[in-house]
Structure formats: structure tokens, C-alpha cells
Amino acid sequence: MAASRTESIPEGHGRIEDVDVSAEMQDSFLEYAYSVIYSRALPDARDGLKPVQRRILYQMADMGLRPDRGHVKSARVVGEVMGKLHPHGDSAIYDALVRLSQSFALRVPLVDGHGNFGSLDDGPAAARYTEARLAPAALALTENLDEDVVDFIPNYDGQFQQPAVLPAAFPNLLVNGATGIAVGMATNMAPHNLIEVVAAAIHLLDNPEATTAELMEFVPGPDLPGGGIIVGLDGITEAYESGRGTFRTRAKVAVESLGPRRTGLVVTELPYMVGAERVIEKIKDAVNAKKLTGIADVNDLTDRNHGLRLVIGIKTGFDPDAVLEQLYRLTPLEDSFGINNVALVDGQPQTLGLKPLLRVYLDHRIQVVTRRSRFRLARKQERLHLVEGLLIAILDIDEVIQVIRASDDGEQARSRLMTVFDLSQLQAEYILELRLRRLTKFSRIELEAERDALKAEIAALEELLASEILLRAQVARELDAAAETFGTPRRTLLLNGGPVAPRSRSAAPADLQIADAPCRVFLSATGRMVRAELSPEGGVVAPTRRAKHDGIRSVVDSTTRGDVGAVTSQGRLVRFSPVDLPSVPANAVQLAAGTRVDQYLGLGAGEHVVAIVPLGDVVIALGTRQGTVKRVATSELAAGKHDVEIIALKQGDRVVAAAPAPDGAELVFVASDAQLLRFEADAVRPQGRAAGGMAGIRLSPGAEVIAFSVVEDPADVVVVSVAGSSQAIAGTDAGSAKVSAFEEFPAKGRATGGVRAQRFLRGEDALTLAWVGAEPRALGADGAVRALPASGAKRDASGQPLDAVVAAVGTAIA
């Protein structure tokens, strides 16, 4: 197929030439593809910049927009770049300028932006609203351009010059990565840590035969600007070998308590170039499509002070870890990154692995240092030549003046100076321009010092240029300096594990709810609560070492989704399900892993949990601070209510403790005046939940109940009592303690005063703590285990001084 084309119309005459359309299209497309590949889309492997990026940085440096100077309007920068160097439209220039300033896109930003430069979910403001200047790292890329370190080429119309490549004091391509789509090819390079890349470059500089595996000891993987987690390193290894590979990134997520009985997933780091709004949208789509269950709500709490914080609420009864796995499958919380290291090398696009990328950069950097050294050597030699001429003139200044005065014009004076003093034309011209103030003796001393310094510098430069070893050492020193100045710690965590397999779209949603299995709920003496899922045999094994908070106040057998009651100091029973409690293995129960029960239940100030009890056909007993006792059947409690009042307390009274109390058990009160009362539980008839109880122990004036217990089998039960001064500040006086067998204390009738439990030492006037049970374990305020005296003390004996303050006593885990 052919077409007609008018070539020209000279002198009023036209000429039409037939051309082949297919050939014309082929030639035009090749020209377009060549332009896109070499002039727009692909970065140079030496400085890691595309032409538009290089022109922006060069023009900003030429405008003097240094980090120590003020910002200027971005529109001004765009106009200068477009008018002088890059005639492809202002939008392309501004988009490139914005990317150079975005800390979430580049590991080391090169432009310091002021104003709205966009986010992962929103674009930037217009160029007329934002301001920019060079970032400190950009100076390292553009330094020494005036010392002939790189070649300059004409701009698009030949009026200005621009660098063909920047000197690049650090490996920018590996550090900041690159992305671009050309014709028939594309590039997608991941950012890396500057310190690690520099270490690998120096190692390759010293060991040219180093393998990729050796370099990966310094660069184990990408380091993404937003942090996150890289799962699986096989794709990274492949990319470092061949230039192409794929790895998967995950968000950094923690399971946290969001409030009373509320658990959530808190996202603090997202995969590379994934925004919070995109994640929220995908979560909503998955929930609406019934692909994802267990999500209560999603809130974006990100701010300038605390950074990214995306809170995903989990519904009660759902396993947060199981929900998280589904989020990884169905949302951008897990994303893939395909590495395709395509860059220009000697003007040709090539796919490069880690070692070739470093090698190209190092060759460039060695050439830059070589050219800079030659330039400096030439300048110093020129200056030395002039200084030596000045010294000749100053040494015989009278004759110099005579020769000049005897000359008819400047040309004759220059010729005669060159002849008489054996000077070069440049030296003679410089002497003729000499000012009289330079003829002092101090100027001569200064010139001699400058001459000596120049000779030393020239010798050092000549030695550097003559030795490849010294050149490489100089490059290494400058790389080290760049890493020390601009380097930051690694942000991305590398995990050498396999990523989750992709989920089939047709697969049914997984059951994310926690199974209703038998469990045991523990409440520590320090107020922490955990859930241990029981083995088929139903056993719980004590930990091999004593850990913090491992003293039990209450223990209840239940099921994971069953109901447990918490008795509070204000006489309420709060129902809760242990499903959202921290789970610990049954063979290594440690209560330090538990949650604070008061926070878990959302209790108000001044109210705390004194015990947890089973619900069902159980009778529980309560003892109060003013000596009241009550037994109440849990079957009397209103079913379905979250919390109910189980005792009507008098003004100022509080519940001290509670526990299941079947018929045949014994109830024990211990008062602050060291009186202990033990009587049969049968003496207290069960009452309704609105009753106020009955008299339990008769208290002396000023005394109050500090401990209440239920004892079913007194065989191994002991009484622990700690005495001290009532005037001492809490937690400052360790006091004395005594451990006596429970059988030492005789039973008395209800509502009596009981018997003395401990004789006070000098300075002691009250019991500060008491406990009745088997296998006591004393704890400090921080939950650490404290030592108690040996058991066997007499009922009314004095205590033994303690080494540290005991804040609580519980039963050891068995």
C-alpha cells in the first residue's frame, strides 16, 4: 500500500512522492520506541536516574536550591526544567519532582518538599501551591559537576548544556529503586538500605571476584521505605542472580487489646506502595461478599505524631490469628513485588543482577574520581606555575619595575619580562596584573607556603592517579562517608519462610471462630487472667521455673465459649466468656502472659475483681471488709444479664474475697488485729442475691477484715500472715511473716471474735496481709516471687522479718 506525501514546495512548484505506509509506520514506531526507552522510561545504571529526574536535580542545583536555603515554588522549578532541558510538558516534570520527595516511595528522598506532596491514597496539590528545594542526599548526587567529572551534552535546542549522567556519590539505583514502562520492556526495582548496599559495594571493590551469595551477606534483601515484612527469600535470591524474581511483602500487625473484652489487629506498617484506604476498601468488599467474617470494625487512626495505625476490631469469639491469615489472603495486607532490574548500560537496556549493578556503579564512580583528580591536578599545576612566577618577580621586584617602566606598551613589557626572567606568557601576564599590595614581605611568605602546599597536593594527586589501589581506596572512603551521613537502620523485616498459598476465589470462607473446647481460667494474686486449653487428659503442668505473677487467686474449669463469673469488690458478679483471654499452653501455664482482669472487664475506678467463680448449680460465699458473710446460689442469678448485684453492701463496706462454698466446707476470716475465725459453712444459710448477708466475725474497734477463704480439705492448708506498722507507707515496710498449719487454729462459732493468729513484734500493730490455702506462693508488687518463712510456726507466735515486701499471696500452679 502506498500513500502520497508532499516533500516541499520550492519556488511555487510542488512535488509529490509515493512512500510505503508500512515502512513509514515501522520507522516512526522505532523512533518512538527508541525515544521512550532511552529518553524517558528507563534509568541509567550509573546514577539510577531517568532523564527527567536527572534534569530536575541538575536544574535545581544550578538554581542554588540547596538544603540550607529557602524553598521556592514548585511551579518555578517545573518552568525552569521545561524551558531549558525537558520540553515534554509540565505535568510529567511535576510528577517526577513529587516522586523524588515522597518518603514512602524512595528510601532516601532527593527533594525536600514543603506542602502537600501527596500520600499513598491521595495525589499532591498543584505545583503552584507546593514548594521545593534539594534534599541533602541530592547534593551527594550532584557534587563536583564543575570539575569535569562527567560529560555534558546539549539540550533539546542546543542552547544549554546538561550532564549525561550525575556523579552519584552513592548507588542511587539500588537504594531508591526505579519503576518505568517503556515499549516492549519495563523496569521495577526495589529500594534497599544504603548502609547495606555501600557495604556490599566496598566488598566488591576489594574482592572483584566476589559471588552473589557473598554480596547477599551484606544485602540480604530489599529495605522498603514503609517497613513491613518480606516473607520468603527464594525470589530475592533469584532476582539478585538473574535480575528477575518475585517476593511477597506483609504488613506488620500486632494483636492488641482495644478495651474491655475487645481484641483487635493493629497495623503499623503496610506493604510497599499500599495505602490504608485501599486496605479498608478491600476489607469492606470482602466482608460484604461474605468472604471474610469476624471483623467488627476498621478505623484509621493514623496521625503525624504516631504514624500509621490501622485498627481492625475482631468480633468476640473469633481467633485474631485466624482472621489475620484470611486478611493476608484477601486484602493488600499481603502483596507481591516483581523485581525486573532493567537499566541502561552504555546506552543499551540490560537486565542486571546484584553484582552487575554494583559493578556498573563502581566503574562509574572510579571514573568520576579519576576525572576529578585529573581536573584538580591540572588546576593546581596551573596555580603552582603562577605562584612560582610571582615569587620570581617579588625576589627581583626592582628590576621587574624597571623593565615595565622602560617598555612602550603592555605587549612589549610582557615580551621583555619573558625574555629577562625566563617566564611563560601566562606568568608574565599575571605579573603585569599584580597589585602593589602583594609586594609586602608577608605576601612572599604566604606565596612560599602556598607553593609548598601545592607541591604536596600535586604529589598526592599524581600518586593517586598512578595507583589503582589508591583510587579504589578513595572510592571506598567516599562511599563510607555517604553511608554514615545518609544511612538509616533497616526498616523491613526479612523472614525466610514460605508465604501463604493464594486462596481460590471459589473456596468457602474458613471457620475463624475459636472452638468451644474445655479450658481452665486462672486469676493470679496480682490480678492477671489467662486461659489454658486442657489436654484430652485434662491436666495442667506447672512451669519448670517460678515466673512472675504465678500465684493463683482463683481457678475455674469452663469451656472456651462458656460463661464465668467475676466477683467485684462492690458486690457485683460480672459474666464474661474466656474466649478473648490470652491463651497459654496447658503444659506451661505462666500468668505473666495474662491480661489485667480489671481492664479486661472494663471496671471503674475503685472497683476490682476479688475472685472468679463458676456459674451453674454452685453456691458461693462472700466475706466483706466489715465482717459480713453471705452464701448465694448462682442459680439465683438472673440469666442473660451481663452483671448483677449479689450482695447489698452497707455504706463503706467492700467484698474482700469470694469462692465456691459447698455444705461441709469451712469459712475463714482474718482481721487486721490478727484475729482469725474459723466456722462451718453450714452455719450460713444461702440467701437471695438482694440480701445483705449476716454477721461473720465480730471485729474490735478500728479493725477490719483483710482476708476471707473457703477451706474444703484442711489437710495441707496453711495460714500465712504478714505483720507491720499501720503508720508505714504501703510498700516500704517488709515487716515480718509467719506460716502456720490451719489445724493450729480451733473452730469457733459464727459471729464471734476468733483466736489470735500472730503476736506482734515491737513497731508492729496490725496485719497487713493474710492468706489461707495450700502451697503458698508470695509475690511482690511487680509480680516477682518472694521468699516466705518455713511452715510450722505456732498459732500465736511472732513472725520472722522479711527481706522484701510481700504484696500478695496465692496458690502455686499445680
Side-chain angles (χ1 to χ4, degrees):
M1 180 177 179
S4 297
R5 181 176 65 185
T6 301
E7 291 295 317
S8 61
I9 308 177
E11 299 178 356
H13 298 281
R15 181 168 62 88
I16 297 176
E17 180 180 349
D18 292 334
V19 297
D20 184 64
V21 172
S22 60
E24 179 69 19
M25 290 292 292
Q26 183 176 4
D27 292 343
S28 299
F29 182 78
L30 286 176
E31 290 180 8
Y32 166 74
Y34 182 90
S35 174
V36 171
I37 291 172
Y38 296 99
S39 301
R40 297 179 68 178
L42 297 185
D44 193 295
R46 294 170 292 177
D47 62 4
L49 298 172
K50 300 177 184 179
V52 64
Q53 296 171 329
R54 186 180 303 113
R55 290 163 182 168
I56 289 172
L57 296 180
Y58 171 69
Q59 190 61 45
M60 291 181 72
D62 189 59
M63 295 168 64
L65 303 182
R66 299 173 56 86
D68 55 351
R69 299 181 182 178
H71 296 80
V72 302
K73 285 289 186 180
S74 299
R76 178 184 169 190
V77 176
V78 171
E80 289 285 327
V81 174
M82 181 171 62
K84 294 182 177 180
L85 305 176
H86 195 78
H88 294 292
D90 57 343
S91 61
I93 299 172
Y94 186 54
D95 289 345
L97 174 68
V98 167
R99 179 177 171 82
L100 289 174
S101 71
Q102 291 175 333
S103 59
F104 55 82
L106 302 186
R107 191 61 179 80
V108 180
L110 302 176
V111 170
D112 178 13
H114 181 67
N116 178 15
F117 274 80
S119 66
L120 287 167
D121 298 306
D122 198 10
R128 61 183 178 274
Y129 299 121
T130 62
E131 299 177 339
R133 65 183 178 189
L134 289 177
L139 296 182
L141 296 183
T142 58
E143 65 181 355
N144 307 131
L145 278 174
D146 57 346
E147 295 185 295
D148 192 34
V149 291
V150 295
D151 294 333
F152 276 71
I153 57 177
N155 71 330
Y156 62 91
D157 61 1
Q159 294 188 26
F160 301 97
Q161 294 288 311
Q162 61 182 337
V165 65
L166 294 185
F170 62 86
N172 178 61
L173 185 58
L174 274 168
V175 171
N176 281 325
T179 180
I181 301 176
V183 179
M185 63 185 67
T187 184
N188 197 34
M189 305 181 67
H192 290 77
N193 186 274
L194 174 58
I195 298 175
E196 296 174 354
V197 171
V198 166
I202 293 176
H203 180 75
L204 184 61
L205 201 60
D206 296 335
N207 305 276
E209 303 302 322
T211 63
T212 302
E214 293 175 359
L215 296 177
M216 286 188 66
E217 294 179 4
F218 301 94
V219 186
D223 186 22
L224 308 176
I229 302 171
I230 293 178
V231 185
L233 304 183
D234 292 341
I236 295 174
T237 303
E238 181 182 357
Y240 286 168
E241 289 284 358
S242 64
R244 293 185 179 181
T246 302
F247 63 87
R248 300 189 71 82
T249 60
R250 280 183 171 180
K252 186 177 181 180
V253 187
V255 179
E256 295 185 8
S257 175
L258 304 181
R261 286 169 290 175
R262 284 201 63 202
T263 303
L265 302 172
V266 179
V267 182
T268 54
E269 295 176 3
L270 287 171
Y272 184 49
M273 300 304 290
V274 173
E277 290 186 10
R278 178 182 164 196
V279 173
I280 294 173
E281 181 181 356
K282 291 297 183 181
I283 291 176
K284 291 180 178 178
D285 292 343
V287 171
N288 293 335
K290 308 297 183 184
K291 295 180 180 179
L292 182 61
T293 57
I295 302 295
D297 52 39
V298 183
N299 295 303
D300 187 2
L301 304 181
T302 303
D303 59 32
R304 292 180 180 270
N305 296 326
H306 302 92
L308 175 69
R309 185 174 176 84
L310 185 63
V311 181
I312 305 172
I314 305 298
K315 291 180 179 179
T316 300
F318 284 80
D319 185 355
D321 293 326
V323 174
L324 178 58
E325 288 300 323
Q326 294 302 307
L327 287 170
Y328 282 144
R329 294 175 185 270
L330 302 173
T331 71
L333 288 181
E334 181 177 288
D335 200 9
S336 62
F337 187 99
I339 297 177
N340 188 25
N341 295 337
V342 178
L344 297 177
V345 180
D346 295 331
Q348 301 295 322
Q350 295 184 19
T351 303
L352 306 171
L354 177 61
K355 182 177 178 179
L357 280 170
L358 290 173
R359 172 55 60 199
V360 170
Y361 170 76
L362 290 174
D363 290 344
H364 168 63
R365 194 60 193 168
I366 290 173
Q367 185 180 19
V368 166
V369 173
T370 301
R371 292 181 60 164
R372 184 188 65 196
S373 300
R374 288 173 179 167
F375 178 87
R376 292 178 178 177
L377 176 62
R379 297 289 84 78
K380 292 185 183 302
Q381 287 174 336
E382 292 174 2
R383 178 60 183 170
L384 177 62
H385 185 61
L386 294 177
V387 169
E388 289 176 340
L390 282 177
L391 284 172
I392 293 174
I394 289 176
L395 289 175
D396 201 358
I397 190 61
D398 294 335
E399 187 176 354
V400 168
I401 294 174
Q402 181 65 32
V403 168
I404 295 174
R405 292 186 63 183
S407 301
D408 295 333
D409 53 27
E411 182 66 28
Q412 185 180 13
R414 181 172 58 253
S415 301
R416 295 185 63 185
L417 286 174
M418 293 171 59
T419 303
V420 174
F421 297 100
D422 193 20
L423 301 175
S424 67
Q425 181 177 346
L426 187 62
Q427 289 175 321
E429 190 70 35
Y430 194 63
I431 291 172
L432 288 174
E433 296 176 358
L434 181 68
R435 293 185 178 184
L436 294 178
R437 69 176 63 179
R438 298 296 305 274
L439 301 181
T440 65
K441 62 179 180 179
F442 295 107
S443 294
R444 176 183 173 183
I445 295 174
E446 292 173 359
L447 287 173
E448 290 175 345
E450 183 181 0
R451 177 196 60 192
D452 296 340
L454 286 171
K455 287 183 176 180
E457 292 171 357
I458 289 171
L461 287 171
E462 289 176 340
E463 184 182 9
L464 177 66
L465 290 170
S467 172
E468 185 178 354
I469 295 177
L470 292 179
L471 272 174
R472 291 176 177 271
Q474 180 64 26
V475 172
R477 281 194 297 271
E478 294 179 6
L479 284 172
D480 262 336
E484 183 177 354
T485 304
F486 308 114
T488 55
R490 167 171 281 275
R491 300 173 185 170
T492 302
L493 177 64
L494 303 177
L495 296 180
N496 193 15
V500 176
R503 182 177 176 83
S504 173
R505 294 184 178 180
S506 60
D511 184 9
L512 307 183
Q513 296 190 23
I514 300 174
D516 192 18
C519 71
R520 186 165 293 171
V521 182
F522 294 89
L523 175 63
S524 77
T526 52
R528 293 179 178 267
M529 192 161 53
V530 297
R531 165 175 57 87
E533 297 183 3
L534 300 181
S535 61
E537 296 78 12
V540 173
V541 181
T544 57
R545 61 181 178 86
R546 293 183 177 184
K548 283 189 174 184
H549 306 285
D550 283 354
I552 300 173
R553 178 184 299 170
S554 302
V555 60
V556 173
D557 285 338
S558 178
T559 61
T560 307
R561 307 180 70 84
D563 283 337
V564 177
V567 181
T568 75
S569 58
Q570 293 185 359
R572 294 193 305 145
L573 186 141
V574 181
R575 294 175 183 269
F576 70 92
S577 172
V579 65
D580 289 326
L581 284 175
S583 179
V584 296
N587 62 349
V589 175
Q590 291 189 357
L591 296 174
T595 184
R596 299 289 304 180
V597 62
D598 297 346
Q599 297 176 1
Y600 181 75
L601 297 179
L603 302 184
E607 184 178 17
H608 63 276
V609 173
V610 299
I612 57 174
V613 296
L615 298 179
D617 190 13
V618 179
V619 177
I620 61 175
L622 303 90
T624 74
R625 184 187 300 171
Q626 296 179 3
T628 300
V629 64
K630 179 182 180 181
R631 292 176 73 207
V632 59
T634 55
S635 58
E636 295 287 330
L637 306 180
K641 285 192 175 182
H642 168 61
D643 65 273
V644 293
E645 186 182 64
I646 57 174
I647 183 173
L649 294 172
K650 297 178 182 180
Q651 183 68 28
D653 201 4
R654 291 290 183 269
V655 176
V656 174
D663 292 340
E666 291 187 88
L667 307 181
V668 185
F669 280 94
V670 183
S672 60
D673 59 355
Q675 293 296 115
L676 182 147
L677 176 61
R678 164 187 177 187
F679 59 91
E680 296 291 335
D682 297 350
V684 182
R685 71 179 188 280
Q687 297 176 300
R689 65 181 183 86
M694 58 185 69
I697 182 174
R698 185 176 69 247
L699 297 172
S700 60
E704 62 181 21
V705 173
I706 61 172
F708 174 77
S709 301
V710 177
V711 176
E712 295 186 42
D713 182 7
D716 297 323
V717 175
V718 296
V719 177
V720 178
S721 56
V722 179
S725 172
S726 59
Q727 303 302 316
I729 299 175
T732 61
D733 181 18
S736 63
K738 178 176 70 71
V739 181
S740 304
F742 181 66
E743 296 291 1
E744 288 278 329
F745 299 85
K748 299 289 184 179
R750 182 183 62 83
T752 63
V755 297
R756 186 168 66 177
Q758 183 171 341
R759 180 183 295 113
F760 295 137
L761 297 172
R762 177 175 295 182
E764 298 176 345
D765 60 359
L767 291 185
T768 58
L769 183 146
W771 178 84
V772 180
E775 300 185 18
R777 174 165 293 179
L779 306 173
D782 60 350
V785 178
R786 299 283 190 257
L788 287 173
S791 179
K794 292 184 179 297
R795 170 181 65 81
D796 60 347
S798 300
Q800 298 181 20
L802 292 171
D803 295 331
V805 175
V806 174
V809 179
T811 303
I813 300 174

